[in-house]
Structure formats: structure tokens, C-alpha cells
Amino acid sequence: MKLLDVLAMEVPRRQLEKVVKDLRLHPESHTIEHYAKAIVSNESGKEEGEYLANEFRYAGKTATRLYYPTAIFYDSLTPLNSILFVKHLLTEKYGSRVFSNGLRVEPGEKPQLFKVDEYEGRLYLSFIFLGPERRVFRNYEVIKERPQNIDYLVLHFDPFMVQVRVANGKEGPFLGEIENIISGRNRLEWVNITELNDLEAQKLKNDLNGQLIGAKHKTIEGEIVDTIEYRAKPNKNLDDAEEYQQNCSDKPYRNLTFKFPYMYNNGMEEGISLRISKNGINFYTTVSEQVIQYVLEKIIQIKQTGVYIEREAEVIDEAVVSELKS
Amino acid sequence: MKSYELMSILESMAFEGKNHFSPLYISNTYKTADVEKVVSLLLSDLFREIVIPILEVECPEGDADFTVQGINDLPQELRVCHQCGIEYVPDPKHIWVTFDFSADFKEFVKKKNPKVSHQQTMRHLKHPILV
């Protein structure tokens, strides 16, 4: 895809405006098309444009879930920690063209890999597949067509993890394809790192400095009411509402929406909207790779260090009790 | 948690008129209970006549779409969530376990605690209907 297309399609307007302003460019009009054109026609603009294209082309308003594999049959997965090893596997299976121009595979039911890009030590895999058949009006006739959809997977290394950027519930076939590439006949068990329990979700919100702007909780007793949902007024935090605390603190969450501040490399600050659910996370703001990496690293940290609030309380109680006894 | 502790908790809950509950309700309210232990007890033969398991099947967005009695009744066909419209195939990992009290158990608890019904009767006698 040409740089112009990527800029016009994937990069948020505000980012393009900043480049134009910083480099004092003169686009023909205020449309995104002309902004992108002005950027591409300028030496330094092109450099900035390339950077933005890499940051946004596979990201955007995406859902993402991060998995790490464990083998059902004992099979050493350690070689997968090396990006070179996995690139070798991919070249063996798909040929070296998948890294350069990409493959022109015939789109089908199952997702098929057609392009691999490397960026910041990660591999970005592009898959193409056909969506459901639908009837559309074209040239005064009704024709049947199946849309061509593209979804992305990101491979992390050291340790090896797979980030699946597809809609909720549709990750099965993609993980299946990865299994075919990396483990041949052996099936793998995938652990979802982005599945957070109530305590971990709270910690993530605090670590991101986020405000709670939406929350859906599930009742644990009662015949009729299944879920309770709260949304905050603009720039308000549900955690400050007594009503929310009283009604929901004893109920597990179904999904939570946070708004947190983020400063891009180029100095631009933005409020990012993030929804977490038991399946993983969903960005409601168009984000770049930087932002996704930032959030995933926070989640990995939480999973590694664990959230011990409740257990600490128990330990303290025991200590107090034994003190009183003696 | 011992089975007799759980039995006693269930009696109190039934007496309070609670029905349809998740094992989390028990482990949250009675902090000594481990959720997994509660679930395995409730599903065991010992509690078969007291509670009926109801499995709420959830769509990928977390909405309770429909219920089944046993894990073997889980249909493997494509469903459309009636809450949010998403298409999905029910996944055994996305099931919310809840329990109802059996009618027999609710009867038993009512009979065992007749004080309330006696008081209600006495109140009636104090205020006879005037013709």
C-alpha cells in the first residue's frame, strides 16, 4: 500500500495536522487527502509520514487480546523466543515474498496469511478472509458479494506471545493458523493474559491514571436483574459516585471503560478510551502501536507481580490474632 | 468449608427469601468460603435435593443469553445474542453458574420456621374484619 493511502486511511487527522503545522506545509485544502498529499510531497514530511504510518497502520480502534502458549504435549517452545527462528519458520512455510511484496492468495473462508512486517522487534501478520455473503445494489442491479476482510496478529518475542487484533469471539481460527505455523500437529493451550479479574482491573485503572467512565456489573443474587450498567457524565469519574460504589462494589464486572491520559512521542497529548472485558481490551480511540504497547506492558506487570490486597489483609489478621493470644 | 456450614448458610438464605444465586454470593458474604469449594459442594450428590444448577450461557460480550441445565445440553450451533445481536457459538468457558433452591427445600425451611406464619395469624385476629 502506498504511503499516501496509509496516511489517509489509518492516521488520525490530528496527527496529520500536527505534522503539517510543525513543518509549515501548505496543503491544497483542509481535507485529509490533501494533508496526506502535502506530507508525502515533502522530504521531512515523508519521514514523519513513514513513522506515523508504521505506528498506526495495524493499530487504530482495535480490540486486542494477548495470549501466551503452553504445550499440551511436552514440546519445547523456547526456540520461539527468537524472532529469527520464527522468521525462518515463516519463510519455510510461505516463501520470502511474504516479507516483501506479500502473497496474492485467493481469499477464502479461513484466514490466510499474506504479509509479514517487522517493526520494533515484533512481527505483524496480515490475514485475509471472506466475510459473510450479502446482497448489494450496484449499477441498478442487485448482486451478491462477500467482503474481503483483513485482520492482524502481532507476534512478540522474548517471551513469545501472540496478540490477536480481531473481534471478540473470532480469535479461534487465527490461533489455529499460528498453531499450524509454530507447532505442526501439536495443539497448544492458549492463556489469555488480557483477562483481568476485578482486583487486576482496578489496579490497571490506577496504573494508567484512568477515570472510570463506564461500568457494567453482574448481579450475584436475584431472579430478575442480571446486569447493572453505569455511565459517567463527561469528565466525571464513577468512582466518585457513592451510588455506584454501594451498588456495584460487591458485584463482579462485565466490562469497565476507562479514560486515561497519554503523551505521544511528538508531544501530542490525548485522552484514550479503553474498555476492558473478560475477553480482553478494546480501544475506543484511534491509537498507535506506542499506546497499545504501553497498556499491554502495564497488564503484564500486573500479572507478574500479582494483586495481593485481599491476601495481605488475611495475613495481617492472623498476625493480630496470634499477638493477642500471646 | 464444611458441608454442614454450607447447609446452614443455604437455610438462612432460603429463609430470607433469596433464590437464584451465584456461588460468589456465598463466598463474598461468608468470607471463609472458597468459591471453587462452594461450587463443587453445590454440584455434589449431597446437595442434589437442595439446589438446582442453572447454567447461564454468555455471549462474547458478557450478556446472559439463555440457560441450560447441564453442560452436556450446551448447543454447539451458531446463536445470535438477544441482548446485543452478536453471532457466536456457545463456549463452555463462558458459562455463569447459578443455583435455585428446590421447591422441596423452600417448603422445608418454611415449615421449620413457623414463628413468622404464627405471628401473621395473630395479627389477623387482632384486626377482625368489621361488617
Side-chain angles (χ1 to χ4, degrees):
Chain A
M1 258 206 313
K2 295 205 309 259
L3 179 59
L4 177 70
D5 290 325
V6 180
L7 291 179
M9 263 173 49
E10 307 288 356
V11 180
R13 196 196 167 86
R14 286 182 66 199
Q15 298 277 1
L16 298 176
E17 282 174 359
K18 186 166 202 319
V19 177
V20 163
K21 191 173 123 186
D22 287 350
L23 295 176
R24 294 181 225 267
L25 302 175
H26 299 288
E28 281 170 54
S29 76
H30 287 292
T31 59
I32 291 192
E33 191 70 35
H34 283 139
Y35 271 78
K37 237 181 180 169
I39 292 173
V40 167
S41 324
N42 176 288
E43 257 324 301
S44 334
K46 206 157 168 218
E47 230 181 273
E48 266 303 303
E50 296 269 4
Y51 172 72
L52 286 175
N54 284 332
E55 278 286 309
F56 283 95
R57 89 197 315 152
Y58 296 120
K61 275 203 199 79
T62 183
T64 189
R65 289 179 283 300
L66 188 62
Y67 296 89
Y68 79 82
T70 63
I72 295 180
F73 302 103
Y74 183 69
D75 216 4
S76 178
L77 293 171
T78 355
L80 294 174
N81 287 334
S82 148
I83 188 173
L84 289 170
F85 180 73
V86 175
K87 279 168 79 169
H88 172 75
L89 283 179
L90 289 167
T91 316
E92 261 193 2
K93 184 152 195 218
Y94 296 99
S96 55
R97 258 197 37 189
V98 76
F99 287 93
S100 53
N101 295 332
L103 311 171
R104 288 277 183 277
V105 293
E106 182 68 34
E109 280 292 340
K110 278 175 40 171
Q112 294 173 84
L113 180 67
F114 69 94
K115 184 84 168 56
V116 180
D117 276 317
E118 188 177 337
Y119 181 64
E120 305 259 295
R122 298 182 287 276
L123 289 180
Y124 289 78
L125 276 55
S126 303
F127 287 82
I128 190 166
F129 62 102
L130 292 175
E133 189 178 77
R134 54 177 192 204
R135 286 179 159 78
V136 287
F137 198 68
R138 187 88 26 96
N139 290 329
Y140 301 95
E141 271 185 358
V142 171
I143 56 170
K144 285 200 286 193
E145 71 170 23
R146 294 190 71 174
Q148 296 185 348
N149 295 331
I150 300 189
D151 270 327
Y152 307 115
L153 255 64
V154 185
L155 303 183
H156 295 240
F157 297 95
D158 237 346
F160 179 73
M161 292 184 291
V162 180
Q163 204 193 126
V164 184
R165 294 187 182 168
V166 311
N168 263 342
K170 304 273 194 278
E171 64 274 343
F174 293 89
L175 290 174
E177 272 306 298
I178 297 291
E179 278 175 7
N180 285 337
I181 297 170
I182 66 180
S183 86
R185 280 165 296 144
N186 292 334
R187 292 298 87 169
L188 299 175
E189 187 83 15
W190 298 95
V191 177
N192 186 346
I193 300 176
T194 34
E195 189 179 318
L196 303 171
N197 66 31
D198 290 77
L199 287 175
E200 291 164 340
Q202 294 297 332
K203 183 127 206 326
L204 179 64
K205 181 187 61 192
N206 295 335
D207 288 353
L208 290 173
N209 247 328
Q211 279 192 327
L212 187 64
I213 61 175
K216 191 164 151 187
H217 291 258
K218 177 113 178 170
T219 57
I220 52 177
E221 189 276 320
E223 288 181 18
I224 301 177
V225 176
D226 181 74
T227 51
I228 300 181
E229 187 165 5
Y230 278 87
R231 306 245 177 137
K233 288 205 185 285
N235 298 321
K236 294 289 178 189
N237 190 345
L238 282 177
D239 282 333
D240 296 334
E242 218 181 282
E243 181 189 331
Y244 168 70
Q245 295 295 347
Q246 271 176 359
N247 286 340
C248 296
S249 58
D250 59 338
K251 301 178 177 67
Y253 83 92
R254 265 292 159 264
N255 54 59
L256 298 171
T257 314
F258 312 145
K259 190 156 178 200
F260 66 93
Y262 186 81
M263 173 91 82
Y264 283 96
N265 273 351
N266 57 11
M268 234 176 77
E269 168 128 30
E270 201 168 12
I272 311 279
S273 256
L274 173 73
R275 192 190 74 162
I276 65 173
S277 72
K278 285 289 154 64
N279 275 326
I281 65 184
N282 235 302
F283 287 94
Y284 280 167
T285 314
T286 311
V287 292
S288 69
E289 294 299 329
Q290 256 182 47
V291 183
I292 299 182
Q293 237 348 76
Y294 172 68
V295 174
L296 288 179
E297 269 162 19
K298 294 269 185 230
I299 293 178
I300 292 172
Q301 248 179 4
I302 291 173
K303 286 286 183 177
Q304 280 178 339
T305 58
V307 193
Y308 293 116
I309 303 171
E310 269 193 334
R311 277 185 228 168
E312 268 174 10
E314 277 174 24
V315 167
I316 292 171
D317 280 345
E318 278 169 34
V320 167
V321 165
S322 58
E323 268 260 43
L324 292 172
K325 276 190 184 158
S326 63
Chain B
M1 160 162 277
K2 302 282 181 193
S3 61
Y4 46 82
E5 288 173 307
L6 182 59
M7 204 87 65
S8 166
I9 288 173
L10 292 176
E11 261 198 61
S12 316
M13 282 171 61
F15 180 65
E16 287 166 25
K18 305 249 184 275
N19 202 10
H20 202 77
F21 60 91
S22 152
L24 278 177
Y25 178 75
I26 296 179
S27 64
N28 281 0
T29 325
Y30 303 88
K31 302 260 188 233
T32 53
D34 172 49
V35 172
E36 277 159 32
K37 182 80 169 105
V38 171
V39 175
S40 65
L41 276 174
L42 289 172
L43 290 175
S44 69
D45 274 344
L46 203 57
F47 288 81
R48 208 162 32 92
E49 290 167 322
I50 303 178
V51 288
I52 307 166
I54 310 263
L55 307 180
E56 292 175 5
V57 183
E58 294 185 337
C59 81
E61 293 295 313
D63 300 316
D65 195 15
F66 63 100
T67 58
V68 291
Q69 281 268 8
I71 195 80
N72 298 323
D73 302 329
L74 195 66
Q76 281 304 297
E77 67 212 359
L78 198 69
R79 305 281 300 209
V80 177
C81 174
H82 72 279
Q83 289 271 7
C84 67
I86 196 177
E87 283 182 358
Y88 72 104
V89 177
D91 185 351
K93 288 195 231 114
H94 293 134
I95 294 204
W96 185 254
V97 179
T98 59
F99 295 90
D100 279 1
F101 287 121
S102 68
D104 285 348
F105 184 69
K106 286 193 275 197
E107 248 333 285
F108 166 79
V109 170
K110 241 201 284 189
K111 281 198 202 134
K112 197 174 169 201
N113 300 280
K115 259 197 201 163
V116 177
S117 22
H118 178 72
Q119 279 171 0
Q120 279 176 346
T121 322
M122 295 309 289
R123 249 183 264 136
H124 273 298
L125 291 176
K126 278 188 194 158
H127 303 282
I129 301 166
L130 297 171
V131 179

